[in-house]
Structure formats: C-alpha cells, structure tokens
Amino acid sequence: MKRMSTAFVAMLALCLALVGCGSSAASNGTPTQAPTTETEQSSAFVGSWELVSMTQEGEETTQEDIETLKELGLCVYLDLNEDGTATLDTFGEALDGTWEEQGPDTAVMTTGDQTVDITLADGLLTLAQNKSSLTFKQIDPSEKIVTSNEGASDAQYFGGDTIDALDDVQSIDVAIADDDVCTIKAVATGAYVGDPAVMFEITNKTDRDITLNNTTDDWAINGAAHSATMYETIRASETLGSIAWFNADDLAEGETLTNITGTIFVYDANDTSTELAHYEFTL
C-alpha cells in the first residue's frame, strides 16, 4: 500500500506543480484562449499522450508503479491540439492551457502564469521543470481509460493504515485537531517499511469525503527540515489510521523521531483544490 500510495501522491503532486495547480484561467471559469497565430499548430507534438515515466527532484517513479495505478484507472494524459490548446488530465481531473511550438523538437505549455518546457525525442514527449519531469508516449485517443465523474466519487481509497504496519512502535497520545472538519490524533511512532514514521488517527466529521494529501518539505525533526509523505482519503463520518513517513536516507545517523513539527492539510476529496482546513502541530 505504501508503494502504491507514494506513487499516487508523487504523480499528483508533480503534475500539479509542473503546470501550476489552480493558476489556470479555466479554474476560475474563464475559458483559456489559444495562442493567436496566423496558422494552426501542426507538428509531431499534436495528439494524445499517455504518461509512462516521471522523475521528481531527480528520483524516478518506476513504470511498474505507473502500470499499477493504471490498472486502478488512475491515468495521466496530455492532449496537444492543432488550435494551440492543451489539456492535462490527471486521474480524471482536467487542467486546460495552451501550447506553442518553438522548434522541431521543442515547445512550451502555459497554464495561467506557469510555463513548462516540452521536448520531443525518440518518440517520447517530456514536460520538464527544474529536476522534475513527466514523460509521455503518443497513443490513439481511443486507447484512453475514461474516468467518469457522474454519480460516483472521484476520490481514491487505499483503506487506511493500522498500527500493525509499524515496527519498533512507541505509543504516543497527542491531540492535533478537534473541530467541525475532523479530529486528528498522533498515536505512535515507529518504522514503516524501513522508514521513520508517525501514525495518526483521523475522524472525518463532515458530510463529504476528505483527503489528507501531504508531500511536503516543511515538516521538521529536531529543527532540521525533512520531507514527509502522508496520503489518505476518509469517507464522511469514518475514522482511519494514516501513516506519515520520512525517507530514512535523509536522516542523520542516530537521528530519532523527536520534536517533530509540521502542518497537516485537509482537502475536499472530490475537489482537491479546495482546502478545508490545515493544522500545525508539534510532537
């Protein structure tokens, strides 16, 4: 479960970061305009593309992880149209923008005020920014797995975590939140598949599904910044466990999980651009 949910969070975070989540003109109800040119875009870039690999801060997500998510209907597609419009479809959530060819092997995609470089090499198309990238292969549009949002939740459920998933468990009892949105309590620390981790218990007190989606660098251990990953979707009125873990390789030798600080963000599971609450904590 950890491996699958890590890939899910990494893919979602990278897709949104590369194209600037929420900055698209389409997100505020204003149609995204195609580039003003005398002729329509016509090149090898035009068509439908499916994600086959990704790199986040220099670390690659395996094709096996992407295929596993695809089997669950979690796919990422990019459409570059002849009229200069573009759509990035991430797990059924579409983000509109524009694109423009710069040369035979280069182009740019723009959403709102965010611009991403596009390169084409060996039949693969890559969106890149800093040390992160998304690489796509071209497909026939009929090959797409259509995610329908009608009459069903968009949220993806991984079933929650239990304390049995941790080794070297040390119980704690720290209340982090108790309001109209949720109750959150830190219940234990330990090792999660070899990585230092904290176990949280969350109760969703709303009438909607909520998502805890945290891939963030602003958590800290003993005052030193560390990236933490935590992902869970919790149905209305449900209580689940969720584990936040740190990369063991990032911790100094002998460093222990003490004096942990950070912020937990809670979103509407069916519209992850809508933040319902966030909670700063110290353990």
Side-chain angles (χ1 to χ4, degrees):
M1 193 278 269
K2 173 183 177 182
R3 180 177 174 183
M4 182 168 59
S5 59
T6 301
F8 177 86
V9 173
M11 288 170 67
L12 181 60
L14 181 55
C15 289
L16 298 181
L18 280 175
V19 295
C21 177
S23 64
S24 168
S27 66
N28 61 18
T30 303
T32 300
Q33 298 298 318
T36 302
T37 58
E38 293 183 3
T39 60
E40 294 183 331
Q41 300 285 351
S42 180
S43 72
F45 291 93
V46 173
S48 295
W49 302 81
E50 179 184 2
L51 185 73
V52 292
S53 67
M54 60 168 277
T55 301
Q56 185 175 28
E57 294 298 320
E59 189 168 325
E60 186 173 0
T61 295
T62 68
Q63 187 171 2
E64 180 182 354
D65 290 335
I66 292 174
E67 287 297 323
T68 298
L69 291 171
K70 183 178 178 180
E71 290 173 4
L72 297 173
L74 301 176
C75 303
V76 179
Y77 300 112
L78 175 65
D79 286 312
L80 300 178
N81 305 312
E82 289 185 0
D83 64 357
T85 58
T87 300
L88 181 69
D89 184 323
T90 306
F91 314 139
E93 292 290 332
L95 183 66
D96 295 327
T98 61
W99 73 281
E100 189 170 5
E101 188 176 1
Q102 304 290 295
D105 302 316
T106 60
V108 292
M109 178 178 172
T110 302
T111 60
D113 58 0
Q114 185 84 1
T115 299
V116 182
D117 293 328
I118 305 176
T119 57
L120 188 63
D122 300 324
L124 297 176
L125 183 148
T126 300
L127 301 182
Q129 190 179 73
N130 299 325
K131 296 181 181 179
S132 299
S133 64
L134 302 169
T135 298
F136 299 79
K137 69 176 182 180
Q138 193 163 25
I139 61 170
D140 187 283
S142 64
E143 298 177 43
K144 289 184 180 181
I145 298 174
V146 177
T147 302
S148 173
N149 295 330
E150 283 189 34
S153 170
D154 299 330
Q156 301 299 323
Y157 298 95
F158 292 100
D161 295 303
T162 68
I163 203 164
D164 293 337
L166 292 176
D167 296 320
D168 303 323
V169 174
Q170 295 187 32
S171 296
I172 56 177
D173 186 0
V174 179
I176 293 172
D178 187 4
D179 58 19
D180 292 340
V181 177
C182 59
T183 298
I184 302 178
K185 181 170 65 174
V187 296
T189 60
Y192 186 37
V193 196
D195 288 324
V198 182
M199 177 85 185
F200 295 90
E201 183 181 272
I202 305 102
T203 299
N204 179 359
K205 298 169 71 174
T206 74
D207 59 359
R208 68 181 79 184
D209 298 346
I210 62 173
T211 288
L212 283 73
N213 186 352
N214 295 271
T215 302
T216 176
D217 295 327
D218 64 359
W219 287 30
I221 301 173
N222 296 316
H226 286 283
S227 177
T229 299
M230 178 169 63
Y231 179 85
E232 207 68 61
T233 297
I234 306 170
R235 292 181 172 90
S237 304
E238 185 178 56
T239 298
L240 285 181
S242 182
I243 290 175
W245 65 88
F246 305 87
N247 189 333
D249 294 336
D250 294 339
L251 273 66
E253 185 175 354
E255 189 172 11
T256 58
L257 286 183
T258 55
N259 190 26
I260 304 169
T261 60
T263 305
I264 294 175
F265 292 89
V266 180
Y267 301 91
D268 184 330
N270 293 308
D271 179 8
T272 53
S273 66
T274 300
E275 180 186 315
L276 300 178
H278 65 270
Y279 308 100
E280 297 180 358
F281 67 89
T282 300
L283 303 179

